[in-house]
Amino acid sequence: MTMMTFQEALKDSEQFNTRHALLGNGFSIACRPEIFLYGKLYERADFSKLSPYTKKAFEALSTQDFERVIKALRDTKEIIKVYRCTDACLIDQLQKDADGLRELLVKTIAACHPAWPGEIEEHEYAACREFISHFKTVYTLNYDLLLYWAQMHNEEGVHPTSDDGFRKPEDDYEAGYVTWEPWNSKKQNMWFLHGALHLFDAGDETQKYTWINTGVRLVDQVRDALARDYYPIFVSEGSSREKYAKIKHNDYLAKGYRSFCEIGGCLFIYGHSLAPNDEHFIRRIENGKLKKIYVSIFGEHDAPLNKAIIARANSMATARKYGRLDVAFYDAGSANVWG
C-alpha cells in the first residue's frame, strides 16, 4: 500500500476543483490527548449518580468507549423484548443507564475541556489554520470547541474567513446568543455534523452560545447550562441508525447532513476510524459525488485498527454504483494539524 505525506496528497488533489475535510476524534486527540482520548474521559467521569451497573458494563465489554457501551445497553434492551422478558424494571433500567451515560459523556467533556481559547498556544492555532485553509468546507463529527476556536482565532485585525451560519437573532439583537436559520447557510463552510457543546436546541430555533455577546467564557456558559439540565445538541447514540434518526429530527443537523451528501471534488478524512457507528456518513461517500478520498492513517499501517480503516476505505470504492471513487492514504502525522 502506498502511503502519501499530507503535502503529497494536497499536490495530488490539485486535479480537483474543490477539497473538503471530514474530521474525527483524532483531530482533537492530536491537540490534547490527555483530554479527548476515550480512556481519559472514562477516568475522569463521575459515575456516582448512575446505577452501579453502568460502570460494570464497561468492565464486561473490556472497553472505555462510551458510545460502544451505550449501543450495547440499547441493543440488549431490544433483544430482551424479542425474548418477551416480562421484567419491565430491567428494560427500564437499561434505557435509563444508556441515557444516563449519554448525559455523563456530555458533562465529562465539558468539565475536562480547556476553559478558554488562550489555553491553546498561538503556534498551535497557526498550524491548525494552515491545515484547514486547504479546504472549501470543513465537516466535523467532534463535539468540542477546538475547531470553532481555531477558525475564529485570527491575528488582530484579520477577519475570520469561516462561516458557521449563525447570526444575531432578528427579533432580539441584544441577545446573549446567536441563532442558525437555513437561509443563512448558503455560504456556511463549517458544520458540526453531530452537534457540539456550544449548540443548543431551543425548540423553535438553534442557538449558539458565544463569548462576544456575553463576556462569559464559552465553556463556563456550557457548564452552567448543564447544571440547569439544559443539554446541547449532541448525537452520541450508539448505532448509526439511531444517530441518523436523531439527525433527521433537528433542522441544523439535517441541513448539515444534506450539505455533506452534495459535496463533490475530493474529501480529506482526518482522525476518523470509519467505524460502523458512523455508517450514515460513510455510505454517503460511497453513494455520493466525490471523485477521490484521502484517508489519514496514524502509526503503522499494519496495526489492527489501521487494517480495518484501510479495508473499509477500499470497500467504499468497490461499493460505488455510479461513477468512480478513488481512495488514497496519507500519514496523519505529516499533516502537523496542531504543529
Side-chain angles (χ1 to χ4, degrees):
M1 184 195 73
T2 301
M3 181 79 71
M4 297 181 179
T5 65
F6 179 65
Q7 291 301 324
E8 288 171 340
L10 286 178
K11 184 66 176 178
D12 182 76
S13 68
E14 290 177 357
Q15 61 188 292
F16 304 104
N17 292 329
T18 54
R19 296 189 196 100
H20 307 277
L22 175 64
L23 308 179
N25 197 41
F27 173 82
S28 302
I29 292 172
C31 180
R32 293 293 183 271
E34 70 277 10
I35 294 175
F36 294 109
L37 281 168
Y38 260 134
K40 300 299 182 182
L41 292 172
Y42 174 82
E43 291 172 6
R44 299 183 183 195
D46 179 6
F47 289 88
S48 63
K49 295 183 180 180
L50 303 182
S51 82
Y53 303 112
T54 53
K55 198 164 187 179
K56 290 180 180 179
F58 284 87
E59 296 169 0
L61 295 173
S62 299
T63 187
Q64 295 180 335
D65 186 330
F66 279 78
E67 290 190 11
R68 183 181 172 192
V69 176
I70 292 169
K71 181 180 186 300
L73 291 171
R74 289 178 172 168
D75 286 348
T76 302
K77 185 192 76 172
E78 296 305 318
I79 290 172
I80 286 176
K81 287 181 180 178
V82 170
Y83 280 85
R84 298 184 179 181
C85 173
T86 58
D87 190 346
C89 291
L90 173 59
I91 294 173
D92 183 58
Q93 188 64 56
L94 288 166
Q95 184 63 54
K96 285 183 178 178
D97 288 347
D99 293 343
L101 278 179
R102 178 182 178 275
E103 294 179 4
L104 180 59
L105 176 58
V106 178
K107 288 183 175 180
T108 305
I109 292 176
C112 300
H113 199 286
W116 66 300
E119 291 191 21
I120 311 299
E121 300 290 339
E122 287 295 328
H123 72 89
E124 293 176 301
Y125 280 127
C128 189
R129 287 198 305 272
E130 170 64 22
F131 171 74
I132 60 182
S133 70
H134 297 292
F135 308 109
K136 178 181 179 181
T137 314
V138 178
Y139 299 91
T140 180
L141 296 167
N142 300 332
Y143 312 121
D144 59 74
L145 305 174
L146 298 184
L147 174 65
Y148 176 67
W149 282 352
Q151 291 208 310
M152 295 300 172
H153 189 91
N154 286 278
E155 296 177 4
E156 187 174 350
V158 178
H159 191 272
T161 58
S162 62
D163 184 351
D164 63 1
F166 283 84
R167 307 286 187 270
K168 290 185 177 181
E170 295 178 357
D171 58 346
D172 189 0
Y173 209 66
E174 300 300 320
Y177 56 86
V178 290
T179 61
W180 180 89
E181 298 291 354
W183 51 84
N184 289 329
S185 65
K186 293 180 180 179
K187 296 182 179 180
Q188 188 169 344
N189 59 6
M190 177 170 56
W191 289 94
F192 290 86
L193 296 176
H194 280 164
L197 287 175
H198 61 317
L199 307 183
F200 284 75
D201 187 345
D204 59 342
E205 62 186 7
T206 299
Q207 299 178 355
K208 181 185 77 173
Y209 288 4
T210 68
W211 174 85
I212 195 169
N213 287 20
T214 63
V216 179
R217 289 180 177 179
L218 200 50
V219 172
D220 289 338
Q221 293 183 60
V222 173
R223 291 170 181 166
D224 178 66
L226 291 171
R228 291 181 287 118
D229 289 330
Y230 294 162
Y231 283 85
I233 299 171
F234 208 83
V235 183
S236 61
E237 278 65 18
S239 71
S240 173
R241 177 181 57 81
E242 291 171 323
K243 287 183 177 181
Y244 180 54
K246 183 159 186 178
I247 286 169
K248 289 193 299 182
H249 287 86
N250 178 277
D251 202 20
Y252 170 85
L253 297 177
K255 185 66 166 74
Y257 181 82
R258 292 194 297 271
S259 171
F260 185 80
C261 291
E262 292 299 316
I263 58 175
C266 66
L267 175 71
F268 278 68
I269 300 174
Y270 180 87
H272 193 270
S273 63
L274 306 183
N277 57 359
D278 285 329
E279 281 288 312
H280 47 297
F281 285 108
I282 296 172
R283 291 192 182 278
R284 299 287 66 79
I285 297 172
E286 290 179 347
N287 301 318
K289 302 175 182 178
L290 289 163
K291 302 297 184 183
K292 190 167 186 174
I293 60 173
Y294 300 84
V295 182
S296 74
I297 298 296
F298 180 79
E300 297 297 327
H301 73 274
D302 57 353
L305 176 59
N306 286 336
K307 284 183 176 180
I309 294 172
I310 292 166
R312 184 64 187 95
N314 285 327
S315 71
M316 292 188 214
T318 57
R320 174 64 68 87
K321 295 180 180 178
Y322 304 104
R324 175 176 171 175
L325 176 65
D326 291 325
V327 178
F329 301 93
Y330 67 97
D331 173 31
S334 68
N336 295 316
V337 173
W338 295 97

